[in-house]
Amino acid sequence: MAKKFQVVIDRERCKGCELCRSFCPKQLIEMDTQVNAKGYCPAKMTRSDECVGCTSCALVCPDCAIEIFAEEE
Amino acid sequence: MKPVFTVTKGMLPVSTSYCPGCTHGVAHRLIMETLDEMGLLGKALGVAPIGCSVVAHQFMNVDMCEAAHGRAPAVASGIRRVHPDKVVFTYQGDGDLASIGMGEIVHAAARGEKFSTFFINNGIYGMTGGQMAPTTLIGQRSTTSVDGRTREQAGMPLKISELLATLDGPAYIERVALDSPAHIRAAKKAIRKAFEVQLAGLGFSFVEILSTCPTNWGLTPPKAMEWLRENMIAYYPLGVYKDAEVK
C-alpha cells in the first residue's frame, strides 16, 4: 500500500499565482472558484490520494502557503 | 501525521507584500530555511536593500538593518567587523547591487569582507515600475526600452558573478536559478555553502539568484518561469565561478 500524503494549503496566504498547479507532476492542484479575503482564487488540492509527496508545489510556492504531511506507517 | 514539508520559523507568519508568483518569496524562504537548519536564526544579521525587498525585514525572522540604496555591502562590512561572532548577509536586487551599489559591492568583494550577499537578478527594476536595469537582456522590453534593449544604446547586460570572480577577495561565487523545483533545491545548497564559507572565515561569499518579475515582464507566473529558463539562463550561465574548500 502506497504511503498517503496530505497537502495543506493556507487559503488566506495563497495569492493564486498557479505555480504549484503548473509544477505538480500529476496535475493534482486546481484553482478554487471562490476568492479568499485578498481577492485571489487560491489553490486547492484535488485527488490527494494520488499525491506522491514530491514537495514540488511547496518548493515553488513563494508565499509559504503549502505544508505537506505523511501518514504514519 | 509526519511533517514532510513545513514552513520554517525563519519566515514570520505574515503575508508578503510581493506580487503573486514573485520569486522573492522563494528566495526569502530558502535563506531562512538554511539559517534555521544551521541553527543560526539567533545569530544572523541581515541587511535589506532598496527595491521591492526593502520590507524584507518584515518577513524574515532575524535581526535586520536597512541600508541606503546600494550601500548594503558597506553597512554589512561594518556590522561584520564590529560583530565577528555574527552571521551577516545582504539581500539585494539588481537595481540596488548592479546599478547604484556597484561601487560598494566591488570594493566589499575586493576587500574579502566576511559576509554573504544574495543577489536577486530578475533583469528589471521591479518596485519603480519596470524600467531597464543593468541586467536587462538585449531585446527585452521595459518601460525605458519599449522596443527592447539594444547594444548600441545601453551596452550589454552586466554579468555580475563573472565580474566579481575576477577579484581575489571573494571565496565563493555561484549563480543559481529559481525556475524549477530542481534548481530551487540547488539554490538552497548554494546558499548553505555561502554561509559555511562565511562561518569558516574564508572571505566574501556571493550567490546570484536568477528570479522572475511576472508583473513587469508582463507574463503569468508559470510563463515567467519558462521565460527565465529559456532566456536568462542562456545569457547568465548557472554554475560555480569561484570556490573555496570548507574544511
Side-chain angles (χ1 to χ4, degrees), chain B residues 164-174 193 239-244:
Chain B
L164 293 180
T166 61
L167 302 169
D168 294 324
Y172 173 65
I173 297 178
E174 180 165 359
K193 178 83 189 277
V240 179
Y241 288 88
K242 196 136 191 185
D243 200 3

Side-chain angles (χ1 to χ4, degrees), chain B residues 52-190:
Chain B
C52 292
S53 49
V54 67
V55 284
H57 52 82
Q58 293 181 7
F59 315 132
M60 294 180 174
N61 195 9
V62 291
D63 288 333
M64 289 193 83
C65 170
E66 186 68 56
H69 204 351
R71 275 53 174 166
V75 173
S77 301
I79 292 175
R80 187 63 168 76
R81 286 182 182 203
V82 174
H83 296 289
D85 56 322
K86 298 283 184 191
V87 175
V88 181
F89 69 92
T90 73
Y91 184 96
Q92 300 177 263
D94 46 1
D96 190 78
L97 184 143
S99 184
I100 192 168
M102 196 58 165
E104 277 69 19
I105 191 66
V106 169
H107 284 283
R111 292 193 303 270
E113 296 288 347
K114 293 177 183 60
F115 68 88
S116 308
T117 288
F118 302 107
F119 169 43
I120 309 299
N121 180 1
N122 59 9
I124 207 157
Y125 287 167
M127 183 179 70
T128 48
Q131 291 83 4
M132 182 169 59
T135 45
T136 298
L137 298 178
I138 295 295
Q140 188 181 342
R141 287 166 193 269
S142 69
T143 57
T144 47
S145 60
V146 286
D147 295 320
R149 176 176 179 152
T150 60
R151 183 180 186 158
E152 295 70 37
Q153 206 172 35
M156 294 297 281
L158 285 177
K159 293 181 173 179
I160 303 291
S161 290
E162 285 88 333
L163 195 151
L164 293 180
T166 61
L167 302 169
D168 294 324
Y172 173 65
I173 297 178
E174 180 165 359
R175 184 185 284 126
V176 295
L178 300 179
D179 66 306
S180 64
H183 279 162
I184 290 172
R185 284 195 177 91
K188 191 170 165 185
K189 277 190 192 145

Side-chain angles (χ1 to χ4, degrees), chain A residues 3 6 13 15 17-19 22-23 38 40 54-56 58-64 66-72, chain B residues 1-7 12-16 18 20-22 25-26 29 179 181 184-185 221-222 225 229:
Chain A
K3 215 173 181 183
Q6 195 186 348
R13 251 181 124 156
K15 292 180 188 153
C17 72
E18 305 190 17
L19 284 177
S22 71
F23 280 104
K38 287 196 212 110
Y40 296 119
C54 73
T55 72
S56 291
L59 271 174
V60 297
C61 177
D63 292 292
C64 301
I66 303 179
E67 291 193 311
I68 302 167
F69 301 90
E71 211 167 69
E72 303 277 2
Chain B
M1 297 294 270
K2 199 173 100 212
V4 179
F5 187 105
T6 50
V7 178
L12 291 166
V14 292
S15 206
T16 63
Y18 305 123
C22 170
V26 179
R29 195 191 69 226
D179 66 306
I184 290 172
R185 284 195 177 91
M225 292 293 205
R229 197 173 308 134

